[in-house]
Amino acid sequence: MDTIELNIQDSHTVTLKSLATAGYQWTALVDNLQLVRVERVIVDRAAGVSPPRGSLDEQFTLTALAAGETIVHFLQARPFERAKPAHATYEVNIRVAPA
């Protein structure tokens, strides 16, 4: 498990390998929502940012809200196959330093 250390109001972007062309999507679950906010980064494909082949990597911005430690769980799965286990997972420990 990776660890990211942040100060309050600092942000960090996590980039995850996409399999969107196969129907997979990353989602994020935070153990303690009072410590970290997770937001998906939306890429404007019309702006000419596209890979030569395949899917664009998915990105999430993690923003530290309060001091403490929590885990963010990322799961890559097909939304239409809820009964199946995730294709891939990635967990990151977030440590937010006191102000």
Side-chain angles (χ1 to χ4, degrees):
M1 178 181 324
D2 292 331
T3 297
I4 298 171
E5 296 187 14
L6 298 171
N7 293 315
I8 296 173
Q9 294 305 312
D10 281 355
S11 294
H12 178 84
T13 301
V14 173
T15 301
L16 302 167
K17 188 70 179 157
S18 177
L19 290 175
T21 56
Y24 290 95
Q25 182 177 8
W26 285 99
T27 57
L29 302 168
V30 182
D31 284 352
N32 188 338
L33 293 169
Q34 295 178 341
L35 301 182
V36 176
R37 178 178 62 239
V38 178
E39 297 174 293
R40 179 183 298 278
V41 176
I42 305 298
V43 176
D44 183 7
R45 292 178 190 262
V49 179
S50 61
R53 287 180 275 170
S55 305
L56 287 175
D57 288 343
E58 295 183 60
Q59 294 184 318
F60 293 84
T61 300
L62 313 177
T63 304
L65 304 175
E69 194 167 333
T70 190
I71 297 175
V72 179
H73 308 270
F74 292 98
L75 306 169
Q76 187 181 43
R78 289 177 167 152
F80 53 88
E81 294 180 335
R82 297 193 191 281
K84 288 191 174 182
H87 172 73
T89 61
Y90 173 66
E91 294 182 331
V92 61
N93 184 47
I94 307 295
R95 289 186 190 143
V96 182

